[in-house]
Amino acid sequence: MPEFAIGETDFLLDGKPFQIISGALHYFRVHPDLWADRIDKARRMGLNTIETYVAWNAHSPEQGEFDVSGGLDLDRFLRLIAEAGMYAIVRPGPYICAEWDNGGLPTWLLRDTELRVREFEPRYLAAVRGYLDEVYRVVAPHQIDRGGPVLLVQVENEYGAFGSDKRYLAALTHYTRAAGITVPLTTVDQPTHEMLANGGLDGVLHRTASFGSQSTARLKTLREHQPTGPLMCSEFWNGWFDHWGAHHHTTSVEDSAADLDALLAAGASVNLYMFHGGTNFGLTNGANDKGVYQALVTSYDYDAPLDEAGDPTPKYHAFREVIARYHKVPDSVPPEARPAPTPVAALSDPAWLLDSPRRWGTAQEHENLPTFDELTPAPRLAFLRTTVDAGEPGVLTFCEVRDRATVFFDGDRLGTLLREHHDRAIRLPRARGELLVLVEDQGRVNYGERIGEAKGIIGGARLHGEPLTGWEVIPIDVPALPDLLPEMPEVSAAGPPAGPLSGPVAVRGGFDLDEPADLFLDTGLWGKGMVWINGFLLGRYWRRGPQRTLYVPRPVVRAGSNDLVVLELDTMLEPEARFVARPLLGHTEA
């Protein structure tokens, strides 16, 4: 069998120096029917390796589960990499960041208020060991010394930016080896002296770095902390992510190519973060909070060499040219993107969620208002309802809103409270009536000290300084929402709604295609909500941008008729679904 090892100055494949030229491709962000296409395009750019994170919360949404079916079939993904003649790097965390919901840590983990994440804490470590055993049961047979593609496995992820618990890192290393992983183990940290020192284990875990510029200087810092063995940039940031309310991030093609050239010229190995970003399908986007909460958008295009729809960009061709200076690259390149079909679908049969809140989930009675994390499973969207009987009108206050709460009183919308604005109070116009609050979790923080925080309304609600009690909580079953809609008549007597719609409302429509194709759904005239096509939840849209189109992967649609459902939480200016020929990801800084 082949042998992969760490030498004095290089990675060694069967005893010969081997330069890893890798690209990040997260299987859980790409439709599984497109994995082979994306892997092949990586090969044709000149990459020899594919790197992926493993998202614990995707595989284990509830304790005791480990799903490896469909889009979570890591075994199939690794087999496809091998079939393409490429190698693999696996990074299972357990924390991955990745701008992914909760940094990959499952919500159920934090129901134990005594548990502390990312440190040597027995209950956390017990859960982590169970998770890693499941992951490595899949990964171990794919290691290179067993005839598979896996060259390296990473332990934790940029741990030096979070902590310095060496016992924790040693425990993860022990679990990894005990589960049958024999290939070299690595860590990755940003190239500061403190982070590199805190995040590694001397002589046990091979240190690598993450950066996107000043390659020569960054490698010099890395060498001070990894005095022997190959140098590697395990995350070469050739793009960046976007969050709602900001601009679409892009990086200079010329500058990125020059920094990649400097890395390869120095003999360093590299992993492009990202080669192909993909999409935060469903409700999987993360968030950042450094004083202001910022939820990530649905697209994870990342300004990568291969764009969200899998088409080559100028960066793809520039990187291929750089790689060709050091290694032979395949002769053929992928074709350029073609304009996508542009069907139009009228949206009709509005179902207002407030008309029958219990249609959308199972009601629960709670004396005191629970957080989302106190519910099983933790919802992403929920109605909170109670009756107010006060002596006079007053101001309703919440201790904290995470992350968006729209307040209705006797069916009238009073307003929306936003976490990023630090909103937590609103005036109730009458002393008596039904109070209903629609609360949305917009994505859990994926980086920093706020990882694992609870969602929903934190600390309950008060009126005139007194707690409001006697709540009915209705977690909305978001994945099943299209199936919960009233049966659609074959011919709608009312026809499409005339003019704008005020949410929360679900509408639906249909469109025809001659053949399956990638699509780009324009949400520019809608407010805020979610979209399903043929039952597949594409993700969130929001008028505040920068992202305007939602990417629809070709395998999601079919020749002939296709169904579309939109849940509008705010206001929809035109009840019509329009598809456009190209993605619209928003304005840039330039």
Side-chain angles (χ1 to χ4, degrees):
M1 290 295 178
E3 181 183 73
F4 188 77
I6 292 176
E8 281 297 309
T9 58
D10 299 285
F11 289 115
L12 300 176
L13 181 59
D14 291 334
K16 298 178 181 178
F18 181 78
Q19 188 174 31
I20 296 172
I21 307 178
S22 174
L25 173 60
H26 301 156
Y27 61 96
F28 46 87
R29 279 184 160 125
V30 179
H31 193 286
D33 291 354
L34 299 175
W35 289 345
D37 172 80
R38 306 314 193 237
I39 292 167
D40 178 65
K41 288 171 178 172
R43 181 189 64 81
R44 290 203 269 173
M45 197 179 81
L47 303 185
N48 56 32
T49 305
I50 297 291
E51 174 270 312
T52 187
Y53 280 127
V54 180
W56 184 1
N57 55 4
H59 289 277
S60 302
E62 287 300 321
Q63 191 168 11
E65 298 179 10
F66 195 78
D67 183 7
V68 289
S69 64
L72 297 173
D73 191 345
L74 177 58
D75 176 77
R76 178 180 172 230
F77 184 69
L78 293 174
R79 281 190 282 109
L80 288 171
I81 292 171
E83 289 169 10
M86 301 184 73
Y87 299 103
I89 299 170
V90 180
R91 304 202 289 169
Y95 163 79
I96 63 171
C97 184
E99 293 72 59
W100 185 259
D101 188 62
N102 217 33
L105 298 177
T107 302
W108 54 262
L109 194 65
L110 283 306
R111 291 192 185 122
D112 181 350
T113 57
E114 300 298 316
L115 182 147
R116 300 184 307 278
V117 302
R118 303 186 75 191
E119 63 177 270
F120 193 88
E121 194 282 315
R123 284 161 296 192
Y124 174 64
L125 287 176
V128 167
R129 183 160 200 176
Y131 158 65
L132 291 178
D133 283 348
E134 294 284 1
V135 173
Y136 294 140
R137 189 172 290 117
V138 176
V139 173
H142 290 282
Q143 295 177 98
I144 189 166
D145 54 7
R146 301 190 195 181
V150 176
L151 301 175
L152 297 171
V153 168
Q154 182 180 292
V155 173
E156 245 281 350
N157 189 60
E158 291 192 326
Y159 185 65
F162 181 87
S164 58
D165 189 340
K166 303 296 185 178
R167 288 195 306 163
Y168 170 57
L169 293 176
L172 296 187
T173 303
H174 171 68
Y175 299 160
T176 300
R177 291 303 189 200
I181 298 301
T182 53
V183 296
L185 304 182
T186 64
T187 59
V188 62
D189 283 289
Q190 295 174 45
T192 71
H193 294 294
E194 181 181 12
M195 291 185 189
L196 285 167
N198 288 346
L201 284 178
D202 293 342
V204 178
L205 302 173
H206 189 78
R207 287 180 172 90
T208 72
S210 54
F211 54 86
S213 61
Q214 302 177 50
S215 296
T216 303
R218 310 294 196 199
L219 291 176
K220 182 176 182 293
T221 303
L222 174 61
R223 179 54 83 198
E224 293 177 29
H225 292 267
Q226 185 58 57
T228 64
L231 294 173
M232 182 170 184
C233 178
S234 285
E235 288 190 18
F236 176 64
W237 301 328
N238 51 260
W240 207 245
F241 52 85
D242 297 342
H243 59 260
W244 295 112
H247 62 277
H248 173 49
H249 290 79
T250 59
T251 58
S252 162
V253 174
E254 293 76 18
D255 290 350
S256 293
D259 274 298
L260 176 62
D261 196 5
L263 278 169
L264 298 183
S269 289
V270 66
N271 176 56
L272 308 177
Y273 194 95
M274 300 288 295
F275 164 69
H276 172 56
T279 309
N280 296 314
F281 291 121
L283 307 178
T284 56
N285 64 278
N288 287 292
D289 192 333
K290 298 179 180 179
V292 176
Y293 174 80
Q294 298 174 311
L296 276 293
V297 303
T298 299
S299 171
Y300 202 64
D301 177 87
Y302 214 87
D303 194 36
L306 208 65
D307 70 14
E308 186 178 12
D311 292 313
T313 68
K315 200 171 284 183
Y316 181 99
H317 299 291
F319 284 10
R320 187 175 184 274
E321 181 179 327
V322 168
I323 294 167
R325 296 170 194 163
Y326 303 92
H327 298 276
K328 181 174 174 56
V329 301
D331 293 334
S332 65
V333 295
E336 298 302 311
R338 295 183 301 172
T342 57
V344 177
L347 300 175
S348 61
D349 297 286
W352 279 273
L353 273 62
L354 268 60
D355 286 352
S356 181
R358 291 184 177 182
R359 171 188 290 275
W360 314 106
T362 302
Q364 308 174 16
E365 301 297 328
H366 294 266
E367 182 64 12
N368 298 305
L369 192 59
T371 66
F372 280 8
D373 293 59
E374 294 174 89
L375 307 173
T376 304
R380 297 308 185 104
L381 195 64
F383 282 122
L384 315 175
R385 182 160 64 175
T386 191
T387 299
V388 173
D389 188 359
E392 58 183 352
V395 175
L396 172 70
T397 61
F398 302 110
C399 182
E400 188 177 352
V401 173
R402 297 183 189 160
D403 302 307
R404 185 177 190 268
T406 303
V407 182
F408 301 87
F409 201 65
D410 287 338
D412 296 329
R413 181 196 290 257
L414 300 185
T416 297
L417 308 178
L418 297 174
R419 174 178 178 175
E420 60 264 38
H421 293 170
H422 304 285
D423 294 333
R424 63 187 193 95
I426 195 167
R427 182 178 181 274
L428 298 187
R430 296 179 295 280
R432 295 176 180 82
E434 181 186 78
L435 172 67
L436 187 145
V437 186
L438 178 60
V439 181
E440 181 187 2
D441 162 10
Q442 296 186 137
R444 291 178 183 259
V445 171
N446 56 256
Y447 185 85
E449 296 298 325
R450 301 193 71 126
I451 294 168
E453 64 182 9
K455 287 290 190 174
I457 299 298
I458 311 303
R462 290 179 175 266
L463 182 63
H464 300 307
E466 296 296 321
L468 285 177
T469 57
W471 291 88
E472 179 183 66
V473 176
I474 308 171
I476 296 174
D477 190 349
V478 172
L481 186 138
D483 298 326
L484 300 175
L485 291 172
E487 186 174 346
M488 187 174 181
E490 291 188 15
V491 179
S492 176
L501 290 173
S502 178
V505 62
V507 288
R508 55 193 171 185
F511 60 93
D512 292 332
L513 290 174
D514 293 334
E515 60 182 3
D518 288 334
L519 301 174
F520 303 99
L521 175 62
D522 187 352
T523 66
L525 295 177
W526 301 348
K528 185 183 197 301
M530 309 163 191
V531 182
W532 294 255
I533 289 185
N534 296 328
F536 183 89
L537 179 52
L538 298 178
R540 311 176 201 258
Y541 64 87
W542 200 350
R543 186 181 294 129
R544 65 167 44 181
Q547 179 179 355
R548 176 165 168 162
T549 53
L550 287 175
Y551 168 59
V552 185
R554 181 174 64 255
V556 168
V557 296
R558 54 195 175 225
S561 63
N562 292 268
D563 304 316
L564 183 147
V565 171
V566 182
L567 174 60
E568 174 61 66
L569 301 175
D570 197 347
T571 54
M572 177 178 283
L573 296 178
E574 288 190 12
E576 185 175 64
R578 296 174 179 158
F579 295 85
V580 293
R582 305 283 187 191
L584 302 170
L585 296 181
H587 63 283
T588 64
E589 282 188 310

mmCIF file of all heavy atoms in Angstrom, residues 506-538:
data_model
loop_
_atom_site.group_PDB
_atom_site.id
_atom_site.type_symbol
_atom_site.label_atom_id
_atom_site.label_comp_id
_atom_site.label_asym_id
_atom_site.label_seq_id
_atom_site.Cartn_x
_atom_site.Cartn_y
_atom_site.Cartn_z
ATOM 1 N N ALA A 506 -47.625 32.093 3.381
ATOM 2 C CA ALA A 506 -47.043 31.127 2.451
ATOM 3 C C ALA A 506 -47.810 31.185 1.146
ATOM 4 O O ALA A 506 -49.051 31.182 1.141
ATOM 5 C CB ALA A 506 -47.086 29.720 3.032
ATOM 6 N N VAL A 507 -47.087 31.273 0.045
ATOM 7 C CA VAL A 507 -47.689 31.264 -1.280
ATOM 8 C C VAL A 507 -46.960 30.230 -2.122
ATOM 9 O O VAL A 507 -45.840 29.820 -1.808
ATOM 10 C CB VAL A 507 -47.620 32.651 -1.954
ATOM 11 C CG1 VAL A 507 -48.589 33.622 -1.304
ATOM 12 C CG2 VAL A 507 -46.199 33.214 -1.907
ATOM 13 N N ARG A 508 -47.600 29.843 -3.209
ATOM 14 C CA ARG A 508 -46.978 28.800 -4.029
ATOM 15 C C ARG A 508 -47.318 29.003 -5.497
ATOM 16 O O ARG A 508 -48.253 29.729 -5.862
ATOM 17 C CB ARG A 508 -47.428 27.426 -3.567
ATOM 18 C CG ARG A 508 -48.921 27.239 -3.535
ATOM 19 C CD ARG A 508 -49.272 25.985 -2.773
ATOM 20 N NE ARG A 508 -50.709 25.894 -2.545
ATOM 21 C CZ ARG A 508 -51.278 24.942 -1.823
ATOM 22 N NH1 ARG A 508 -50.555 23.980 -1.284
ATOM 23 N NH2 ARG A 508 -52.579 24.925 -1.647
ATOM 24 N N GLY A 509 -46.531 28.329 -6.318
ATOM 25 C CA GLY A 509 -46.741 28.424 -7.751
ATOM 26 C C GLY A 509 -46.010 27.299 -8.447
ATOM 27 O O GLY A 509 -45.463 26.395 -7.818
ATOM 28 N N GLY A 510 -45.995 27.358 -9.774
ATOM 29 C CA GLY A 510 -45.341 26.324 -10.554
ATOM 30 C C GLY A 510 -44.720 26.902 -11.799
ATOM 31 O O GLY A 510 -45.111 27.972 -12.272
ATOM 32 N N PHE A 511 -43.721 26.205 -12.339
ATOM 33 C CA PHE A 511 -43.085 26.628 -13.580
ATOM 34 C C PHE A 511 -42.632 25.380 -14.324
ATOM 35 O O PHE A 511 -42.423 24.314 -13.740
ATOM 36 C CB PHE A 511 -41.907 27.566 -13.314
ATOM 37 C CG PHE A 511 -40.807 26.973 -12.471
ATOM 38 C CD1 PHE A 511 -39.707 26.341 -13.058
ATOM 39 C CD2 PHE A 511 -40.863 27.041 -11.090
ATOM 40 C CE1 PHE A 511 -38.701 25.795 -12.285
ATOM 41 C CE2 PHE A 511 -39.845 26.496 -10.302
ATOM 42 C CZ PHE A 511 -38.771 25.863 -10.899
ATOM 43 N N ASP A 512 -42.475 25.512 -15.631
ATOM 44 C CA ASP A 512 -42.078 24.393 -16.487
ATOM 45 C C ASP A 512 -40.666 24.604 -17.030
ATOM 46 O O ASP A 512 -40.251 25.739 -17.291
ATOM 47 C CB ASP A 512 -43.051 24.253 -17.664
ATOM 48 C CG ASP A 512 -44.435 23.809 -17.222
ATOM 49 O OD1 ASP A 512 -44.524 23.123 -16.176
ATOM 50 O OD2 ASP A 512 -45.417 24.160 -17.905
ATOM 51 N N LEU A 513 -39.966 23.484 -17.202
ATOM 52 C CA LEU A 513 -38.646 23.499 -17.817
ATOM 53 C C LEU A 513 -38.595 22.429 -18.906
ATOM 54 O O LEU A 513 -39.182 21.358 -18.747
ATOM 55 C CB LEU A 513 -37.559 23.217 -16.787
ATOM 56 C CG LEU A 513 -37.272 24.278 -15.728
ATOM 57 C CD1 LEU A 513 -36.262 23.736 -14.724
ATOM 58 C CD2 LEU A 513 -36.756 25.557 -16.363
ATOM 59 N N ASP A 514 -37.860 22.726 -19.971
ATOM 60 C CA ASP A 514 -37.663 21.718 -21.013
ATOM 61 C C ASP A 514 -36.759 20.595 -20.522
ATOM 62 O O ASP A 514 -36.942 19.434 -20.885
ATOM 63 C CB ASP A 514 -37.055 22.361 -22.261
ATOM 64 C CG ASP A 514 -38.021 23.325 -22.940
ATOM 65 O OD1 ASP A 514 -39.246 23.148 -22.781
ATOM 66 O OD2 ASP A 514 -37.542 24.265 -23.604
ATOM 67 N N GLU A 515 -35.774 20.955 -19.695
ATOM 68 C CA GLU A 515 -34.845 19.979 -19.135
ATOM 69 C C GLU A 515 -34.263 20.551 -17.852
ATOM 70 O O GLU A 515 -34.259 21.774 -17.653
ATOM 71 C CB GLU A 515 -33.728 19.653 -20.132
ATOM 72 C CG GLU A 515 -32.901 20.864 -20.526
ATOM 73 C CD GLU A 515 -31.836 20.525 -21.543
ATOM 74 O OE1 GLU A 515 -31.772 19.365 -21.978
ATOM 75 O OE2 GLU A 515 -31.047 21.426 -21.895
ATOM 76 N N PRO A 516 -33.766 19.708 -16.959
ATOM 77 C CA PRO A 516 -33.174 20.227 -15.723
ATOM 78 C C PRO A 516 -32.005 21.157 -16.022
ATOM 79 O O PRO A 516 -31.217 20.925 -16.948
ATOM 80 C CB PRO A 516 -32.705 18.964 -15.000
ATOM 81 C CG PRO A 516 -33.569 17.871 -15.545
ATOM 82 C CD PRO A 516 -33.807 18.225 -16.980
ATOM 83 N N ALA A 517 -31.895 22.213 -15.226
ATOM 84 C CA ALA A 517 -30.816 23.187 -15.396
ATOM 85 C C ALA A 517 -30.641 23.951 -14.094
ATOM 86 O O ALA A 517 -31.574 24.071 -13.299
ATOM 87 C CB ALA A 517 -31.152 24.165 -16.536
ATOM 88 N N ASP A 518 -29.426 24.460 -13.873
ATOM 89 C CA ASP A 518 -29.223 25.380 -12.761
ATOM 90 C C ASP A 518 -30.084 26.615 -12.987
ATOM 91 O O ASP A 518 -30.228 27.086 -14.133
ATOM 92 C CB ASP A 518 -27.755 25.810 -12.685
ATOM 93 C CG ASP A 518 -26.847 24.701 -12.206
ATOM 94 O OD1 ASP A 518 -27.319 23.801 -11.489
ATOM 95 O OD2 ASP A 518 -25.640 24.739 -12.538
ATOM 96 N N LEU A 519 -30.621 27.158 -11.887
ATOM 97 C CA LEU A 519 -31.467 28.345 -11.963
ATOM 98 C C LEU A 519 -31.022 29.361 -10.921
ATOM 99 O O LEU A 519 -30.377 29.006 -9.924
ATOM 100 C CB LEU A 519 -32.933 27.986 -11.715
ATOM 101 C CG LEU A 519 -33.605 26.963 -12.637
ATOM 102 C CD1 LEU A 519 -35.008 26.648 -12.132
ATOM 103 C CD2 LEU A 519 -33.641 27.469 -14.071
ATOM 104 N N PHE A 520 -31.418 30.610 -11.139
ATOM 105 C CA PHE A 520 -31.164 31.681 -10.186
ATOM 106 C C PHE A 520 -32.480 32.425 -9.943
ATOM 107 O O PHE A 520 -32.996 33.106 -10.831
ATOM 108 C CB PHE A 520 -30.087 32.642 -10.709
ATOM 109 C CG PHE A 520 -28.789 31.941 -11.017
ATOM 110 C CD1 PHE A 520 -28.472 31.593 -12.327
ATOM 111 C CD2 PHE A 520 -27.918 31.597 -10.002
ATOM 112 C CE1 PHE A 520 -27.297 30.930 -12.615
ATOM 113 C CE2 PHE A 520 -26.738 30.924 -10.289
ATOM 114 C CZ PHE A 520 -26.416 30.593 -11.596
ATOM 115 N N LEU A 521 -33.009 32.266 -8.741
ATOM 116 C CA LEU A 521 -34.305 32.846 -8.377
ATOM 117 C C LEU A 521 -34.090 34.257 -7.844
ATOM 118 O O LEU A 521 -33.395 34.460 -6.841
ATOM 119 C CB LEU A 521 -34.979 31.975 -7.321
ATOM 120 C CG LEU A 521 -36.288 32.498 -6.734
ATOM 121 C CD1 LEU A 521 -37.354 32.631 -7.812
ATOM 122 C CD2 LEU A 521 -36.768 31.581 -5.608
ATOM 123 N N ASP A 522 -34.712 35.221 -8.483
ATOM 124 C CA ASP A 522 -34.575 36.627 -8.100
ATOM 125 C C ASP A 522 -35.580 36.953 -6.995
ATOM 126 O O ASP A 522 -36.793 36.866 -7.195
ATOM 127 C CB ASP A 522 -34.833 37.504 -9.332
ATOM 128 C CG ASP A 522 -34.538 38.976 -9.064
ATOM 129 O OD1 ASP A 522 -34.290 39.348 -7.903
ATOM 130 O OD2 ASP A 522 -34.567 39.760 -10.038
ATOM 131 N N THR A 523 -35.071 37.349 -5.829
ATOM 132 C CA THR A 523 -35.935 37.662 -4.690
ATOM 133 C C THR A 523 -35.990 39.160 -4.397
ATOM 134 O O THR A 523 -36.409 39.576 -3.325
ATOM 135 C CB THR A 523 -35.438 36.924 -3.424
ATOM 136 O OG1 THR A 523 -34.152 37.447 -3.053
ATOM 137 C CG2 THR A 523 -35.319 35.423 -3.677
ATOM 138 N N GLY A 524 -35.581 39.959 -5.373
ATOM 139 C CA GLY A 524 -35.429 41.386 -5.149
ATOM 140 C C GLY A 524 -36.702 42.111 -4.751
ATOM 141 O O GLY A 524 -36.640 43.154 -4.096
ATOM 142 N N LEU A 525 -37.869 41.600 -5.144
ATOM 143 C CA LEU A 525 -39.135 42.263 -4.824
ATOM 144 C C LEU A 525 -39.848 41.598 -3.655
ATOM 145 O O LEU A 525 -41.022 41.873 -3.409
ATOM 146 C CB LEU A 525 -40.043 42.299 -6.058
ATOM 147 C CG LEU A 525 -39.519 43.144 -7.218
ATOM 148 C CD1 LEU A 525 -40.447 43.060 -8.420
ATOM 149 C CD2 LEU A 525 -39.345 44.604 -6.792
ATOM 150 N N TRP A 526 -39.137 40.742 -2.960
ATOM 151 C CA TRP A 526 -39.699 40.108 -1.762
ATOM 152 C C TRP A 526 -39.033 40.715 -0.532
ATOM 153 O O TRP A 526 -38.090 41.496 -0.636
ATOM 154 C CB TRP A 526 -39.471 38.606 -1.801
ATOM 155 C CG TRP A 526 -40.093 37.926 -3.003
ATOM 156 C CD1 TRP A 526 -40.987 38.463 -3.883
ATOM 157 C CD2 TRP A 526 -39.844 36.591 -3.453
ATOM 158 N NE1 TRP A 526 -41.317 37.547 -4.863
ATOM 159 C CE2 TRP A 526 -40.632 36.385 -4.617
ATOM 160 C CE3 TRP A 526 -39.047 35.553 -3.001
ATOM 161 C CZ2 TRP A 526 -40.642 35.178 -5.310
ATOM 162 C CZ3 TRP A 526 -39.048 34.346 -3.681
ATOM 163 C CH2 TRP A 526 -39.839 34.166 -4.817
ATOM 164 N N GLY A 527 -39.527 40.340 0.632
ATOM 165 C CA GLY A 527 -39.020 40.937 1.861
ATOM 166 C C GLY A 527 -38.007 40.072 2.572
ATOM 167 O O GLY A 527 -36.799 40.236 2.424
ATOM 168 N N LYS A 528 -38.498 39.128 3.365
ATOM 169 C CA LYS A 528 -37.614 38.219 4.107
ATOM 170 C C LYS A 528 -38.333 36.892 4.259
ATOM 171 O O LYS A 528 -39.514 36.863 4.613
ATOM 172 C CB LYS A 528 -37.286 38.775 5.494
ATOM 173 C CG LYS A 528 -36.277 37.933 6.253
ATOM 174 C CD LYS A 528 -36.028 38.475 7.651
ATOM 175 C CE LYS A 528 -34.750 37.908 8.245
ATOM 176 N NZ LYS A 528 -34.759 36.445 8.343
ATOM 177 N N GLY A 529 -37.624 35.797 3.987
ATOM 178 C CA GLY A 529 -38.298 34.519 4.122
ATOM 179 C C GLY A 529 -37.450 33.369 3.642
ATOM 180 O O GLY A 529 -36.211 33.425 3.662
ATOM 181 N N MET A 530 -38.152 32.320 3.197
ATOM 182 C CA MET A 530 -37.514 31.076 2.787
ATOM 183 C C MET A 530 -38.221 30.541 1.548
ATOM 184 O O MET A 530 -39.405 30.815 1.345
ATOM 185 C CB MET A 530 -37.603 30.036 3.904
ATOM 186 C CG MET A 530 -37.142 30.525 5.256
ATOM 187 S SD MET A 530 -37.719 29.454 6.602
ATOM 188 C CE MET A 530 -37.299 30.497 8.018
ATOM 189 N N VAL A 531 -37.495 29.711 0.765
ATOM 190 C CA VAL A 531 -38.041 29.196 -0.487
ATOM 191 C C VAL A 531 -37.764 27.695 -0.603
ATOM 192 O O VAL A 531 -36.653 27.237 -0.312
ATOM 193 C CB VAL A 531 -37.417 29.909 -1.713
ATOM 194 C CG1 VAL A 531 -38.044 29.392 -3.009
ATOM 195 C CG2 VAL A 531 -37.596 31.416 -1.616
ATOM 196 N N TRP A 532 -38.790 26.972 -1.037
ATOM 197 C CA TRP A 532 -38.659 25.550 -1.361
ATOM 198 C C TRP A 532 -38.958 25.348 -2.847
ATOM 199 O O TRP A 532 -39.915 25.932 -3.375
ATOM 200 C CB TRP A 532 -39.673 24.707 -0.595
ATOM 201 C CG TRP A 532 -39.522 24.638 0.886
ATOM 202 C CD1 TRP A 532 -39.042 23.598 1.611
ATOM 203 C CD2 TRP A 532 -39.915 25.639 1.843
ATOM 204 N NE1 TRP A 532 -39.096 23.890 2.964
ATOM 205 C CE2 TRP A 532 -39.632 25.130 3.129
ATOM 206 C CE3 TRP A 532 -40.478 26.921 1.736
ATOM 207 C CZ2 TRP A 532 -39.890 25.845 4.290
ATOM 208 C CZ3 TRP A 532 -40.718 27.644 2.893
ATOM 209 C CH2 TRP A 532 -40.421 27.099 4.150
ATOM 210 N N ILE A 533 -38.182 24.508 -3.512
ATOM 211 C CA ILE A 533 -38.508 24.070 -4.870
ATOM 212 C C ILE A 533 -38.564 22.552 -4.861
ATOM 213 O O ILE A 533 -37.607 21.883 -4.436
ATOM 214 C CB ILE A 533 -37.498 24.597 -5.899
ATOM 215 C CG1 ILE A 533 -37.697 26.116 -6.076
ATOM 216 C CG2 ILE A 533 -37.647 23.880 -7.234
ATOM 217 C CD1 ILE A 533 -36.846 26.750 -7.142
ATOM 218 N N ASN A 534 -39.701 22.026 -5.271
ATOM 219 C CA ASN A 534 -39.941 20.569 -5.254
ATOM 220 C C ASN A 534 -39.616 19.964 -3.885
ATOM 221 O O ASN A 534 -39.061 18.869 -3.769
ATOM 222 C CB ASN A 534 -39.140 19.878 -6.358
ATOM 223 C CG ASN A 534 -39.582 20.319 -7.744
ATOM 224 O OD1 ASN A 534 -40.757 20.629 -7.958
ATOM 225 N ND2 ASN A 534 -38.659 20.348 -8.694
ATOM 226 N N GLY A 535 -39.957 20.721 -2.837
ATOM 227 C CA GLY A 535 -39.761 20.260 -1.470
ATOM 228 C C GLY A 535 -38.378 20.478 -0.912
ATOM 229 O O GLY A 535 -38.136 20.202 0.263
ATOM 230 N N PHE A 536 -37.427 20.958 -1.713
ATOM 231 C CA PHE A 536 -36.049 21.196 -1.283
ATOM 232 C C PHE A 536 -35.929 22.629 -0.780
ATOM 233 O O PHE A 536 -36.215 23.580 -1.510
ATOM 234 C CB PHE A 536 -35.097 20.962 -2.457
ATOM 235 C CG PHE A 536 -33.636 21.111 -2.124
ATOM 236 C CD1 PHE A 536 -32.904 20.024 -1.673
ATOM 237 C CD2 PHE A 536 -32.989 22.324 -2.282
ATOM 238 C CE1 PHE A 536 -31.556 20.149 -1.381
ATOM 239 C CE2 PHE A 536 -31.644 22.464 -1.993
ATOM 240 C CZ PHE A 536 -30.921 21.375 -1.535
ATOM 241 N N LEU A 537 -35.517 22.794 0.488
ATOM 242 C CA LEU A 537 -35.398 24.128 1.073
ATOM 243 C C LEU A 537 -34.094 24.775 0.614
ATOM 244 O O LEU A 537 -33.000 24.384 1.047
ATOM 245 C CB LEU A 537 -35.446 24.028 2.604
ATOM 246 C CG LEU A 537 -35.307 25.334 3.395
ATOM 247 C CD1 LEU A 537 -36.303 26.397 2.918
ATOM 248 C CD2 LEU A 537 -35.484 25.064 4.891
ATOM 249 N N LEU A 538 -34.216 25.772 -0.267
ATOM 250 C CA LEU A 538 -33.043 26.452 -0.801
ATOM 251 C C LEU A 538 -32.324 27.251 0.277
ATOM 252 O O LEU A 538 -31.098 27.286 0.325
ATOM 253 C CB LEU A 538 -33.437 27.401 -1.935
ATOM 254 C CG LEU A 538 -34.074 26.786 -3.173
ATOM 255 C CD1 LEU A 538 -34.448 27.881 -4.156
ATOM 256 C CD2 LEU A 538 -33.142 25.775 -3.823
#
